[in-house]
């Protein structure tokens, strides 16, 4: 390929290049692309000034980058053609990283003068140095689980604790300020965002302010206080999560079919008009009135029926008694509260007390158990 001689240092270089590979002198006009055949201060075609390497005031490809807990400073001085590309690339390197600061005193000392000075240094070396500092600074975030993990384990016990955790992560672990929008983004990140929680965000945020965890700075900006930082650390380092609340189904939204209650009791017999069946109330050892007075069954319906049945079967010697016999005795003895469903009452006491047994043609017999009950208790 054809070669030319650099007008500045007389080095032989390939024709068509923009700069001398030895001294960096521009070989073409940056505006009109006119080639320089000799050392010039201005372009012979358009008059644009030519910036040579010697004209730069001692700052030959120099970058100064300072970063500490108070902020960051970035300075760069280059020749115009070189500096444009390098500064742009280096700016992307810096802005593409989030540097995290810790309140730890030893780490603060490491960041006290975080400076990169570059003189004729390649961009690969710049990235390597910056990556090393990024790894060192990010160590402060190690040991804290992601918001996704916290949500899966359900570590916060209530929504106020969730707000403290969201504030902790939104503020770069208590270093920066945060806003209400940052908390909403944290809700989205942990996949817990819904209309109810967002509508109640302000009351819960105010609760953390009252508890001394969050400090309102004004204009919707907040900071996490030391108490809030320690509380957040305790929450995210828990081993066990809180049990979730069971969702209650509203009767307004769920129409539960009504179940018919099962009839576990004996089917009731329809009430019938009892036909009185008279018997001799003055025969035997005692009259019915005297026997009833001696036994004094009181106002209990079951004991009243049992006393009358004992008189009919044991004193009078009948094999059985009927509903009509009991109804007749009630009238003779002038007892109040005569049962409206007399037969059903007898059935109930047969089932619950075993005092009676079913006889022939709808009659009843006094059981041995009913007989002993009267004799032993009265």
């Amino acid at each position: 390929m054809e070669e030319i001689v650099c007008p500045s240092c007389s080095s032989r270089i390939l024709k068509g290049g923009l700069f001398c590979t030895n001294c960096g002198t521009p070989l073409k006009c940056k505006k009109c692309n006119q080639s320089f055949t000799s050392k010039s201060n201005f372009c012979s075609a358009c008059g644009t000034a030519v910036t040579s390497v010697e004209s730069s005031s001692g700052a030959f490809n120099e970058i100064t980058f300072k970063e500490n807990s108070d902020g960051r400073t970035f300075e760069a001085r280059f020749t115009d053609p070189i500096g444009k590309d390098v500064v742009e690339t280096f700016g992307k390197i810096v802005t593409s990283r989030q540097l995290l600061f810790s309140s730890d005193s030893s780490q603060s000392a490491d960041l006290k003068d975080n400076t990169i000075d570059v003189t004729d240094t390649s961009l690969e070396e710049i990235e390597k140095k910056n990556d090393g500092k990024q790894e060192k600074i990010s160590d402060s975030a190690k040991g804290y689980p992601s918001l996704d993990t916290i949500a899966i384990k359900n570590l916060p016990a209530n929504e106020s604790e969730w707000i403290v955790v969201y504030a902790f992560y939104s503020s770069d672990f208590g270093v920066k300020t945060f806003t209400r929008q940052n908390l909403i983004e944290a809700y989205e990140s942990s996949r817990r965002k819904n209309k109810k929680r967002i509508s109640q965000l302000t009351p819960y945020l105010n609760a953390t302010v009252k508890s001394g965890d969050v400090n309102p700075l004004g204009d919707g900006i907040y900071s996490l206080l030391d108490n809030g930082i320690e509380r957040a650390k305790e929450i995210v380092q828990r081993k066990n999560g809180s049990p979730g609340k069971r969702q209650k189904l509203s009767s307004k939204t769920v129409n539960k079919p009504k179940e018919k209650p099962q009839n576990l009791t004996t089917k009731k017999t329809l009430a019938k008009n009892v036909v009185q069946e008279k018997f001799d109330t003055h025969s035997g050892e005692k009259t019915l009135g005297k026997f009833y007075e001696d036994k004094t069954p009181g106002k209990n319906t079951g004991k009243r029926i049992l006393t009358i049945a004992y008189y009919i079967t044991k004193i009078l010697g009948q094999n059985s008694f009927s509903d009509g016999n009991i109804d007749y005795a009630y009238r003779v003895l002038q007892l109040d509260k005569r049962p409206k469903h007399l037969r059903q009452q007898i059935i109930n006491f047969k089932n619950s007390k075993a005092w009676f047994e079913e006889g022939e043609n709808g009659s009843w017999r006094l059981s041995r158990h009913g007989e002993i009950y009267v004799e032993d208790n009265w």
Side-chain angles (χ1 to χ4, degrees):
M1 296 182 68
E2 186 178 353
E3 295 182 341
I4 60 173
V5 177
C6 174
S8 179
C9 68
S10 300
S11 298
R12 298 188 67 81
I13 56 178
L14 293 176
K15 185 178 180 180
L18 298 178
F19 303 94
C20 174
T21 57
N22 183 51
C23 66
T25 299
L27 302 179
K28 288 185 179 182
C29 176
K30 63 181 180 181
K31 185 174 183 180
C32 67
N33 210 31
Q34 173 68 31
S35 298
F36 301 139
T37 57
S38 62
K39 187 175 182 179
S40 306
N41 292 327
F42 296 92
C43 177
S44 61
C46 66
T48 301
V50 179
T51 304
S52 63
V53 176
E54 289 89 337
S55 65
S56 59
S57 57
F60 186 77
N61 294 358
E62 181 180 348
I63 297 176
T64 303
F65 172 61
K66 295 183 177 181
E67 184 168 21
N68 53 40
S69 58
D70 296 326
R72 59 178 66 171
T73 303
F74 169 52
E75 296 179 0
R77 287 179 289 179
F78 289 96
T79 57
D80 288 344
I82 299 175
K84 180 179 179 181
D85 295 332
V86 175
V87 172
E88 181 179 356
T89 303
F90 185 76
K92 290 180 180 179
I93 295 172
V94 175
T95 58
S96 66
R97 289 166 171 79
Q98 266 191 319
L99 301 181
L100 306 173
F101 296 97
S102 171
S103 58
D104 188 271
S105 58
S106 61
Q107 188 170 359
S108 299
D110 292 337
L111 299 176
K112 192 170 185 180
D113 189 7
N114 187 10
T115 305
I116 302 175
D117 290 321
V118 181
T119 303
D120 287 342
T121 305
S122 65
L123 293 179
E124 288 78 10
E125 293 175 327
I126 294 174
E127 289 192 69
K128 186 176 181 181
K129 289 185 178 181
N130 198 49
D131 283 340
K133 291 185 178 292
Q134 169 64 21
E135 291 175 3
K136 187 174 183 180
I137 294 169
S138 297
D139 285 343
S140 63
K142 290 182 179 179
Y144 297 130
S146 65
L147 285 176
D148 229 7
T149 301
I150 295 173
I152 292 173
K153 293 185 177 181
N154 199 29
L155 297 180
N158 51 55
E159 206 60 34
S160 293
E161 288 193 352
W162 270 111
I163 298 298
V164 173
V165 170
Y166 288 149
F168 184 57
Y169 280 76
S170 298
S171 63
D172 282 348
F173 308 100
V175 174
K176 300 180 181 179
T177 58
F178 65 92
T179 64
R180 189 176 187 275
Q181 183 59 36
N182 294 141
L183 299 181
I184 294 177
E185 292 171 358
Y187 268 104
E188 293 177 346
S189 178
S190 60
R191 295 178 290 184
R192 296 185 67 254
K193 181 181 177 182
N194 59 38
K195 291 183 179 180
K196 182 178 180 180
R197 287 174 179 148
I198 299 304
S199 66
Q200 296 177 345
L201 176 56
T202 299
Y204 282 122
L205 185 56
N206 292 338
T208 61
V209 172
K210 292 181 180 179
S211 62
D213 297 320
V214 173
N215 179 36
L217 301 176
D219 296 328
I221 300 175
Y222 301 86
S223 66
L224 196 60
L225 298 175
D226 290 341
N227 185 59
I229 294 174
E230 294 304 317
R231 186 181 180 191
K233 289 180 179 179
E234 183 275 323
I235 295 171
V236 302
Q237 291 174 352
R238 290 174 182 170
K239 299 299 181 182
N240 299 318
S242 303
K245 293 183 178 179
R246 293 183 179 179
Q247 185 177 3
K248 294 182 179 180
L249 296 178
S250 173
S251 59
K252 295 182 179 179
T253 57
V254 178
N255 294 323
K256 186 177 180 181
K258 293 182 178 180
E259 297 181 357
K260 294 183 179 180
Q262 297 181 358
N263 188 6
L264 300 178
T265 59
T266 305
K267 185 176 180 180
K268 290 186 177 181
T269 304
L270 294 177
K272 294 182 180 180
N273 292 327
V274 179
V275 178
Q276 291 185 12
E277 295 183 27
K278 298 180 179 180
F279 62 91
D280 191 353
T281 60
H282 297 281
S283 300
E285 301 174 0
K286 292 183 180 180
T287 63
L288 174 63
K290 179 62 177 175
F291 180 79
Y292 189 88
E293 183 181 349
D294 292 342
K295 296 299 181 182
T296 60
K299 295 183 177 296
N300 184 278
T301 302
K303 292 181 179 180
R304 284 180 172 183
I305 295 174
L306 181 60
T307 302
I308 297 171
Y310 187 93
Y311 181 81
I312 295 174
T313 57
K314 297 301 177 184
I315 303 299
L316 298 183
Q318 295 184 192
N319 293 327
S320 62
F321 65 93
S322 65
D323 303 341
N325 292 149
I326 302 298
D327 184 71
Y328 176 71
Y330 258 84
R331 295 181 182 277
V332 171
L333 297 172
Q334 298 182 354
L335 301 177
D336 60 349
K337 297 181 180 181
R338 186 170 61 91
K340 293 181 179 180
H341 304 280
L342 179 57
R343 186 168 186 81
Q344 183 61 49
Q345 291 279 12
I346 298 174
I347 292 174
N348 292 343
F349 291 117
K350 175 183 77 71
N351 295 334
S352 61
K353 303 293 186 179
W355 288 343
F356 311 113
E357 296 175 353
E358 292 185 13
E360 298 178 356
N361 300 321
S363 63
W364 301 100
R365 292 194 299 268
L366 183 66
S367 69
R368 179 59 179 163
H369 180 71
E371 179 182 332
I372 294 173
Y373 189 89
V374 174
E375 295 173 351
D376 291 347
N377 291 279
W378 295 328

